[in-house]
Amino acid sequence: MDHYQPPLADISFALKHVVGYPDIAALPGFEHADLGTVVELLEQCGDFMSVAVAPTNRQGDIQGSQLQPDGTVVTPNGFKEVYRQYVEAGWGSVPLPEEYGGGGFPRTVGVVIQELMTSANMAFSLCPLLTQGAIEALVHYGDDALKKRYLPKMVTGEWTGTMNLTEPQAGSDVGALTTRAVKNEDGSYAITGQKIFITYGDHDMAEQIVHLVLARTPGAPEGTRGISCFIVPKFLVNDDGSLGRRNTVETLSLEHKMGIHASPTCVLSYEDATGYLVGEENRGMRIMFVMMNSARLGVGVQGLAVAERAYQQSLAYAQDRRQGLATGATNPSSAIIDFPDVRRMLMTQHAHIAALRYLMLLDATYVDRSTNDPDPAVRARADEIAGILTPICKSFGTDLGNELTSLALQIHGGMGFIEETGAAQHLRDIRIAAIYEGTNGIQAADLVGRKLGVRGGASMLEFLADMREIEFELTNAGAEFATIRKELSRQFDALEEATRWMLATGQADPDGVLSGSTPYLRMWGLCAGAWMLARAALAAPATGDAALADSQLVLARFHAEQLLPQCASLLGAATAGSRDLFALDADQLAGAARRVRS
């Protein structure tokens, strides 16, 4: 139940042969992060995550974080000690800027570290994830004084960070927030308001918590145009860098959640708390998107990582659990892995997990190209592709996280529904990932509302055309690739048809496009995942490992023949428009339900 085996061979193959990591390591600034160095580093990281972090997962779920009478939050047994080891080992600093004490490794390497840590313990991993988002916002928009004061200890992990966006009345409508920021005579601001759903808003694992808080200054424009971003530390920082008095930030309560019990989700109250402006007034949304875009890929990785942990457990259970007789069996009972439907569930998990890993790493490589490639045109195009992939990775990744952990539970049968087996925890933990950091519906709206329209649709159509080049490679690869090529071609046609419909419909009927945005995003996820699996199958023979080449071919073929066909079936939903979604008002919907019951 607490055992986790880092899939390092799969990750190494992905980096070297599928997503082209050696090309990333050759970019300026990444010369020290060659593939050999990275593989060795990841082996050490995987060992730490499996030995130190993974055993805390079950205990953290049972015990949870607790709000004490004095208003402080205590994390589950072992968390504080393991986090100290994590900081001392420097795992959080690996992909962060060298200027502030980080390792300066590519984001791609950071994504792998995050997968390993999240598989080990998702609730634990949320603290470093939020800290990284806060760091990136400060790197991009903080002035030199703020960077010097806060970044070095945030990069090491000695200080952690949060993102304070949501308020009770606002939800995902950030523009409706009412937290106010009034400028003080010394240039700081007095922050007053309440924030909800603040992950690791208070805890005992670090001495300092640096809150990034969205608030509105007096006279600011209404809506999102009037939002500013502020650093509000738990403790004020003295001129010599030491911690001073406690700021007026109070934890009112912890949410009682379905999962990730060990991660304290706080309701925070600010009463004239001292804050410091990040960037310029009324530019908070721009800063927020730096934090959110970083976190959205990270949340997609959570879907992959928890699905991997659940898959490992369900595979082990399927090998050990004996029940009934499989076809041709001679023993008194068969392991359930010998039954076709259990094999179907295991293969579905395995294929989707491999596809997700390739997609997450591909997105990360484009992020690295967008920041470090010396050619401005390459940087610009990489930024466009990362913009397309990020909502797909976040939404499709977390949807599959829910679906695959549910399959893992199903393999356990009735025992999966019993908490002691641990299978249910994975399903409970990952359920939030489709909701936070922008719901998956918001990701789909972003895909069709912002990314689809880039350069009049040319950006996305060019990416689709690039994907379709694999059809020629598959044609020349041999008969064993024929069904993969045939199915990919058919599904690319459906995706292109949906894309052109979206482009033709968008300006005249935005609600129609939004109505089909979720199935359209899933079409992209299915096609992109199949494309990456096909790339892996084509690349695997070059390794000289016949078993690896065979397994990659089987995964790509299984996905193409049994999972990818869902894409074309979504074409109707993606292009149906909004007519029937709005045909019944609330009273009619209620009436229809009553007639069904009667």
Side-chain angles (χ1 to χ4, degrees), residues 498-530:
T499 300
R500 294 191 182 280
W501 181 90
M502 291 274 175
L503 289 168
T505 306
Q507 289 189 346
D509 184 11
D511 273 355
V513 169
L514 289 169
S515 296
S517 60
T518 290
Y520 176 66
L521 185 148
R522 191 173 182 93
M523 292 176 74
W524 266 100
L526 288 165
C527 280

Side-chain angles (χ1 to χ4, degrees), residues 417-493:
F417 205 65
I418 306 302
E419 284 289 349
E420 283 77 4
T421 65
Q425 182 190 343
H426 305 309
L427 180 60
R428 288 188 288 100
D429 282 351
I430 200 57
R431 184 60 186 88
I432 184 60
I435 298 172
Y436 60 20
E437 303 305 339
T439 66
N440 286 359
I442 290 175
Q443 306 306 312
D446 175 62
L447 185 67
V448 301
R450 291 188 177 92
K451 311 306 171 52
L452 182 62
V454 172
R455 293 193 284 116
S459 176
M460 195 167 281
L461 288 171
E462 288 170 9
F463 184 47
L464 179 54
D466 290 343
M467 291 168 60
R468 298 203 70 154
E469 290 178 3
I470 202 169
E471 295 176 53
F472 300 102
E473 297 178 60
L474 292 167
T475 299
N476 297 325
E480 63 266 34
F481 290 87
T483 58
I484 301 174
R485 184 208 59 76
K486 179 181 178 181
E487 198 57 47
L488 261 176
S489 179
R490 187 169 78 91
Q491 302 305 327
F492 281 147
D493 285 345

Side-chain angles (χ1 to χ4, degrees), residues 279-529:
E280 302 174 8
E281 287 190 8
N282 303 328
R283 296 294 181 92
M285 286 299 291
R286 183 184 299 270
I287 299 169
M288 183 197 78
F289 276 112
V290 170
M291 295 187 284
M292 292 287 282
N293 284 334
S294 172
R296 283 173 175 173
L297 175 56
V299 171
V301 172
Q302 290 175 355
L304 157 68
V306 180
E308 169 69 37
R309 181 78 181 265
Y311 169 66
Q312 291 188 17
Q313 182 172 331
S314 64
L315 176 60
Y317 185 84
Q319 293 171 295
D320 292 340
R321 173 63 171 163
R322 308 192 71 84
Q323 178 178 296
L325 286 175
T327 302
T330 58
N331 294 326
S333 62
S334 300
I336 63 172
I337 196 172
D338 293 330
F339 291 91
D341 193 56
V342 174
R343 284 293 182 123
R344 176 191 62 81
M345 290 187 284
L346 289 169
M347 282 295 293
T348 298
Q349 291 178 81
H350 193 19
H352 272 317
I353 287 168
L356 283 181
R357 181 173 291 116
Y358 299 148
L359 276 178
M360 302 298 165
L361 292 174
L362 182 70
D363 190 355
T365 63
Y366 278 112
V367 173
D368 287 326
R369 291 184 188 279
S370 74
T371 58
N372 283 61
D373 196 285
D375 187 336
V378 173
R379 290 199 304 272
R381 181 57 180 152
D383 188 61
E384 285 185 1
I385 297 176
I388 295 169
L389 288 173
T390 295
I392 295 169
C393 285
K394 194 280 182 185
S395 184
F396 189 57
T398 56
D399 279 346
L400 285 184
N402 286 319
E403 294 167 25
L404 301 182
T405 53
S406 182
L407 279 181
L409 189 149
Q410 185 74 15
I411 288 170
H412 284 76
M415 293 305 297
F417 205 65
I418 306 302
E419 284 289 349
E420 283 77 4
T421 65
Q425 182 190 343
H426 305 309
L427 180 60
R428 288 188 288 100
D429 282 351
I430 200 57
R431 184 60 186 88
I432 184 60
I435 298 172
Y436 60 20
E437 303 305 339
T439 66
N440 286 359
I442 290 175
Q443 306 306 312
D446 175 62
L447 185 67
V448 301
R450 291 188 177 92
K451 311 306 171 52
L452 182 62
V454 172
R455 293 193 284 116
S459 176
M460 195 167 281
L461 288 171
E462 288 170 9
F463 184 47
L464 179 54
D466 290 343
M467 291 168 60
R468 298 203 70 154
E469 290 178 3
I470 202 169
E471 295 176 53
F472 300 102
E473 297 178 60
L474 292 167
T475 299
N476 297 325
E480 63 266 34
F481 290 87
T483 58
I484 301 174
R485 184 208 59 76
K486 179 181 178 181
E487 198 57 47
L488 261 176
S489 179
R490 187 169 78 91
Q491 302 305 327
F492 281 147
D493 285 345
L495 179 58
E496 184 169 341
E497 182 178 346
T499 300
R500 294 191 182 280
W501 181 90
M502 291 274 175
L503 289 168
T505 306
Q507 289 189 346
D509 184 11
D511 273 355
V513 169
L514 289 169
S515 296
S517 60
T518 290
Y520 176 66
L521 185 148
R522 191 173 182 93
M523 292 176 74
W524 266 100
L526 288 165
C527 280

